[in-house]
Each structure stands twice: as structure tokens, then as C-alpha cells.
Amino acid sequence: MMGKNTQWKDVYVQGTSTTKWGFFPDVSASSMGSEAIVNALRDARTKWGEVEAVFAGSVYQGTASGHRVVGEIGFTGIPIVNVENACSSGATAFRLAYDSIRLGQYETVLAIGFEKMPRGPIPSTAFPGWQLAMGFNVQPANYALETMEYMRQYGATVEDFARVSVKNRRNGSLNPNARFQKEVSAEEVLQSAMIASPLRLLNCCPLADGAVAMVLTSKPESNRAIHVASSVLVSGVYGEESYQSGITASVQHYPSEGIVEKSARQAFEMAGYGPKDIDVVQAYDSMGPGELWDIEKLGFCARGTAPELLREGVFDLMGRLPVNTDGGLLSRGHPLGATALAQIHELVLQLRGEAGHRQVADPKLGLAHAMGAGPNSAVTILQR
Amino acid sequence: MTTIERKTIPVMDGLWQLETDGKPHLLGSRCEACGEVFFPRKTLNFCMNCHKESLEEITFSGKGRVLMLTKVERQPAGGFYKGAVPYTYGIVQLDEGVNIFSQLIDEPALSNDERVEMVVVKLYEEEDNDVMTFKFKAEIIREGDKG
Ligand SMILES: [Zn+2]
């Protein structure tokens, strides 16, 4: 199932584009999506008529929302597939686009993720009604429980978690598309409002509107094309049912491999590379502490050691393994359906050497990881 | 002056029931094949662990220990939660071997690993109803229970 098949095509990201991220009350989701598509086509030097299929990820945009995006550019008779997979919707659209080319169905397709976050009550279908009524669907609270467990097992501290926000907001200050382009200090993080102990406001990513589009092809036209080494989605393993994993539903049958570890292993096997080969990482930092255990579960260091490596600067832009070079969810903001594609977008820029003031030194391989309610874990590895 | 009879209703049917000891007990399912335990009770007879159709209904003792807890300081988004804020929320490991999410009564303050027991209390009021939920509070060890 995994591994190499000589019949399969090599897949490349030929072009990519993102909108700015923030709150745009006067801009519709479909116009953000269509803007991203037109700019991605321009970046790829691909004509709209060459695109053979569109995979469109979003969470809150309703029925056939990808068709509305494409409709603003002009229908050409190609299939449009709408993808909803919570916070991994963008990565899932990417995975479907990748597979459609790899398996030889198409030569050139588009993956897009777009989101305009609803104002006011947000209906969650990822939790049953009685759990909503009992207050179980607060993501910072569920992350807080895993954070408490992480602190208990490995001695991590709130200062460690504050350093994640400080690093990512510093990176975000160099990203003209981020929602927050202002640095924060550890003191500001530690004094921000408590949301669910020990998580404070500045440990939690902000919501945002935004869209990302990408042209994938088996016929790369320039050295700006970036090879897709692997794209993997794992949706749940039994016994590890809570949102960001680590907390088991059962203590009798604990899974031998968690969802993040499984998706990372499959992605590395498929790519033919290991964690030591990766030069730049976009980890899932919807809550700051999550970035630390994410780095560990993806295999970049032993469990419990990420806080120390963070203190040593290993994950800084100029460090040995830069993580969340665009500021991550903490700076960029979190438009659910678009987030995971934004991570891949940043990898493409880094691997092309087009990341401006936040460019890391000569990266050849990059990895992006997105979690999502369900749960989902999506890993994408790109190669220059 | 008329007195309106207030009714108590559960936040969801089938989470717990009164047993012969006069106390409410959580309801669950147990797999006869692999021993896995589920909460809440599964209406579909299919074990998620071993994939056999061998589930039986069980009642939990209502006792366990706190695995971890947090205090939620903000009103949950979406308008579905009508209970008090802030509230203490965490994971309880029931003695029967399953971890469940629950609100906890944190007075006196609870800590990790502390023994807790289940109680049924009011979550919120709506019109003429008191909507009830299970929560966990510190287990009180009575003298007569020892030894
Ligand atoms: Zn079973």
C-alpha cells in the first residue's frame, strides 16, 4: 500500500498563493478563494484551461462552497470536489490532489483551502450534543488536559509554553500575511488572560479568515517546482480518541502507535527519508504546548526533550531545525479549512528560497503537520 | 399563588440510572470477548476494540480517580453550554478501567490522582425543568467503610 510503485507519477507543486490572514468583514469566502486561485495560476504560469480538477477544502462555508469559488473564475466542465475534514481540510484536499496526479488520473490540478470564520455561535458536529451541553467542547480546555499530562510526565513548565509563543510571534513579525505581525514577550504571555489553566490567551491561536491555492502537476515547468515526497492522512486509531491524542478513552487497550506517530512514520516511509533529513518544519501549534509534543511525536527528538531544545534555540529561524517559520497558527491565525494548506505554502516558499526576511538557510526537505477534530493527522513532506 | 412543580430531567437519557442501593450509577458497556469497557453505553452491539458483537450492559461503581483537571474560565463558544462558568473539567479514570471526561466539583480543591465519586447535580435550569448532569467530587471515606 505504502512505499514506491514505479507506475506512479512524481508530483510537484508548480505554483502557490495565499491571501492575507485576518478579519475581512467586507470580503466573501468565495472571493478570497478565487483571488488565491488566480494568483496561484499566475505563480505557476498555468492557464485556467489546463486545470483538470479542483479539490476545495473548507469547514464552515456550506454546501458546494468550492463551486462558488470556481464559479467566480469560470466553470470549464472539470470536477470540483468539496472537502471537509475539520482543521486538516486543506491537507486532505492536497492529499486528494496529490493522489489524482500520482495515480495518473490527471496532469494538473488545483488544491485550495478557504475559510471565513462564522461570527457568533459556531455549531460543532465533532462532539455529540450532550457533550456540548456539558461544556466538553472547549478546545483550550482539552489541550489544557493534555498539557497537564505533558507537564506531569516530562516536567515542562508554563515558561516553556510561553517560549513557543515568543518564537512564533517573532517569526510572524516577519510574515506580511500573518494576522499578528507584532512580537510578544514571555512576560506578556504569562500575564495574558487565563482561558483554561494552564493555558492563557497568548498560548492559543487566534481565528482568522483566509485562503490558499496551489497548482499541482506531474509536468514541472521550472526549477521553482517543488517535489511532493509524500502526503499522508491518518484518521483516528482506536484507544486514542481525544482531540489532540495522548488521552485515551480506554486504559485496557492502549494503542501501540498514536495517530501523529503513525502518520509521521507513513510519511517518512513513503518519502524514503527520516526525521534527520528534514530541514524545516511547520508543526501544529493551535495551542503553544502542542507544538512541543508535536515535534517529539513526529520523531524529531525524544519525548520530553523539545522544551530544552527550544530553550537552546534549535527551533529558531537560524537554528538547526526551524519550526513554524511563518509564525505558525499562533501568528498567522487559524481559518480552519485553509490552515493546513498555509503550512504547505510556507514550505514551498522556504524550499524555493522565496521566504524573504524569514528565509532559513538552504533547506532541501520540509515537513508540515496538521491535526484536526475527528481526529485527523495529516503529514506532508516536500523536497526541493 | 400557584406553585409550579419543577421537574428534573437528565442532560441526556441513558447516561445513568438509579440502582437498588438508591444511588445513581453511570451506565456502560463491556465486551465479553476482550474485556473492553465503554462509556456511555453503546446502543450498537459492536466492540470498537475487537470488532465482535459481544457487548453487555454494565453499571459503574461511580468511583475512580482524577487523571487531570483544568478550570475553564470562559463561556464555551456556540451557546450550547448553559451551566455555570468557570467550571472544573477533567478526566476521571473509573475503577472499572475507562477514562471519561467530566465536570468536577472542586470544593474542596481536587488534585491529580485524588479519589472521586460520581454525583448527579443540577447543570442549569430551563423553564420548569432542572437539567441534571453527572459530576465527580472528592470521595468521602466514612469510618465504617474502612477495613
Ligand atoms: Zn471486544
Side-chain angles (χ1 to χ4, degrees), chain B residues 2-132:
Chain B
T2 55
T3 313
I4 296 162
E5 186 87 9
R6 290 195 71 77
K7 283 187 296 188
T8 61
I9 58 169
V11 65
M12 185 179 84
D13 284 325
L15 290 177
W16 67 85
Q17 71 183 22
L18 276 177
E19 291 295 311
T20 48
D21 62 2
K23 286 184 177 173
H25 285 259
L26 295 175
L27 299 174
S29 302
R30 183 183 172 281
C31 177
E32 290 179 309
C34 72
E36 191 61 297
V37 176
F38 302 98
F39 173 82
R41 181 179 56 179
K42 276 179 63 72
T43 50
L44 179 69
N45 181 16
F46 189 87
C47 175
M48 295 190 287
N49 180 55
C50 73
H51 309 159
K52 293 196 174 77
E53 297 176 34
S54 52
L55 297 186
E56 57 176 2
E57 192 171 308
I58 57 166
T59 56
F60 291 101
S61 66
K63 301 198 175 187
R65 68 183 179 102
V66 176
L67 281 191
M68 51 211 112
L69 47 80
T70 182
K71 188 179 254 184
V72 179
E73 306 279 357
R74 298 259 176 116
Q75 180 71 36
F80 303 100
Y81 177 73
K82 303 187 191 83
V85 177
Y87 59 96
T88 301
Y89 168 67
I91 296 176
V92 171
Q93 184 172 98
L94 298 178
D95 287 347
E96 289 80 3
V98 61
N99 299 340
I100 70 169
F101 292 108
S102 182
Q103 283 200 27
L104 296 115
I105 296 168
D106 202 12
E107 289 170 12
L110 289 166
S111 51
N112 289 345
D113 289 325
E114 191 160 345
R115 295 283 308 166
V116 288
E117 65 182 352
M118 176 255 201
V119 289
V120 169
V121 295
K122 186 164 70 181
L123 181 62
Y124 63 93
E125 295 177 3
E126 60 167 28
E127 295 167 355
D128 299 337
N129 298 325
D130 289 343
V131 179
M132 309 300 282

